[in-house]
Amino acid sequence: MPAKKILVAFDGSKHSRKALEWALNSYEAGTASIEVVTVVEPIANYSIPEAFPLEVTAFHQDQQAMREEKLKELRQEWAACGKEFTTHVLNGNIVETLLDYSMESKADLLVTGTRGAGGFKGLLLGSVAHELVTHAKMPVVVVK
């Protein structure tokens, strides 16, 4: 059964751009809706001292705004080619947030790129891609 709703994990890397390109070129307009999602990780994951709570909040807000702007540019770039998609910036642990959102949004297919830089566990796939393939409840396409 062809996918009607595709969720593309996007982190701004060339690998995630390839994943988006694959999704957009694999499905003709009108046959599937495509959502591009990026996740801003919790501040604790950035190892910033708790002694600077205002700076931490500002840093998180900057990350959110920067990603929203990047996704806006990406939509404009692809709109010029006649390709459209929606975007979302979410907050949380990358893997958990992508898995939860993929279920909430009723995605039929999850598409991700891979860097392959996750040590032994991620020898063949990047650690995020590995976790998505392992735990997703829907098919996952990993674009290299």
Side-chain angles (χ1 to χ4, degrees), residues 5 33-37 71 75 84-88 101:
K5 184 163 190 172
S33 65
I34 297 176
E35 280 187 76
V36 178
V37 178
L71 291 176
R75 276 194 320 271
E84 294 185 10
F85 52 88
T86 58
T87 59
H88 300 284
Y101 187 76

Side-chain angles (χ1 to χ4, degrees), residues 97-116:
T97 302
L98 288 171
L99 291 172
D100 289 346
Y101 187 76
S102 67
M103 293 300 291
E104 290 169 19
S105 67
K106 297 180 174 40
D108 300 309
L109 181 66
L110 181 56
V111 180
T112 185
T114 183
R115 294 179 194 189

Side-chain angles (χ1 to χ4, degrees), residues 61-137:
Q61 291 170 340
D62 287 348
Q63 288 294 310
Q64 181 99 12
M66 187 172 62
R67 292 179 193 210
E68 287 171 358
E69 182 62 29
K70 181 56 100 177
L71 291 176
K72 179 182 173 186
E73 292 170 6
L74 198 61
R75 276 194 320 271
Q76 292 170 343
E77 173 187 333
W78 281 97
C81 301
K83 307 280 185 168
E84 294 185 10
F85 52 88
T86 58
T87 59
H88 300 284
V89 177
L90 305 174
N91 294 285
N93 171 278
I94 294 172
V95 172
E96 290 175 13
T97 302
L98 288 171
L99 291 172
D100 289 346
Y101 187 76
S102 67
M103 293 300 291
E104 290 169 19
S105 67
K106 297 180 174 40
D108 300 309
L109 181 66
L110 181 56
V111 180
T112 185
T114 183
R115 294 179 194 189
F120 185 76
K121 180 169 126 178
L123 189 58
L124 299 176
L125 297 176
S127 59
V128 170
H130 179 268
E131 291 298 315
L132 292 175
V133 168
T134 302
H135 299 290
K137 303 292 186 216

